[in-house]
């Protein structure tokens, strides 16, 4: 077990999302579809990438903003109810989970 606070936060965020029914097993694999949970210097970020099966036409420019917005809302609610300090990064649209002071 690590004493690094951000590593503990990452483990807790992943466990919270898994309990909520999200597949976080492949969350750290870059380029794979689904949740992307990653550690930063003083926070954890959660994003999402669509899988090709969601775009039956195979367009490279497919936008999934409606799905991203719904997922962001769910992530914000779940992580806030679990006691985390969360906010949406305006540039990336990812959910940032910060360490509590």
């Amino acid at each position: 077990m690590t004493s690094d606070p951000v590593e503990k936060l990452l483990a807790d965020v992943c466990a919270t999302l898994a309990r909520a029914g999200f597949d976080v097993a492949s969350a750290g694999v870059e380029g794979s579809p689904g949740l992307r949970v990653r550690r930063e210097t003083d926070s954890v970020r959660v994003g999402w990438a669509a899988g090709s099966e969601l775009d039956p036409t195979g367009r490279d420019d497919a936008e999934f903003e409606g799905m991203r917005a719904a997922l962001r809302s769910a992530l914000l609610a779940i992580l806030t109810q679990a006691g985390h300090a969360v906010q949406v990064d305006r540039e990336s649209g990812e959910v940032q989970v910060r360490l509590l002071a």
Side-chain angles (χ1 to χ4, degrees):
M1 191 75 157
T2 180
S3 62
D4 179 359
V6 179
E7 228 17 74
K8 286 182 181 179
L9 178 62
L10 176 64
D12 189 50
V13 166
C14 287
T16 298
L17 294 175
R19 284 190 308 273
F22 288 97
D23 176 16
V24 294
S26 61
V29 180
E30 193 62 35
S32 66
L35 282 184
R36 294 186 178 171
V37 183
R38 72 180 188 282
R39 173 198 166 119
E40 295 204 325
T41 304
D42 59 353
S43 64
V44 170
R45 290 209 180 227
V46 184
W48 177 75
S52 60
E53 62 275 1
L54 290 178
D55 181 22
T57 63
R59 295 181 335 212
D60 289 334
D61 64 341
E63 289 295 325
F64 301 99
E65 192 50 44
M67 288 183 204
R68 282 189 175 85
L71 180 60
R72 267 193 305 271
S73 293
L75 291 171
L76 288 169
I78 290 164
L79 294 167
T80 299
Q81 287 182 1
H84 294 291
V86 297
Q87 69 182 34
V88 174
D89 179 282
R90 299 261 183 232
E91 275 188 42
S92 68
E94 295 177 319
V95 173
Q96 180 183 31
V97 186
R98 298 178 318 278
L99 289 169
L100 294 173

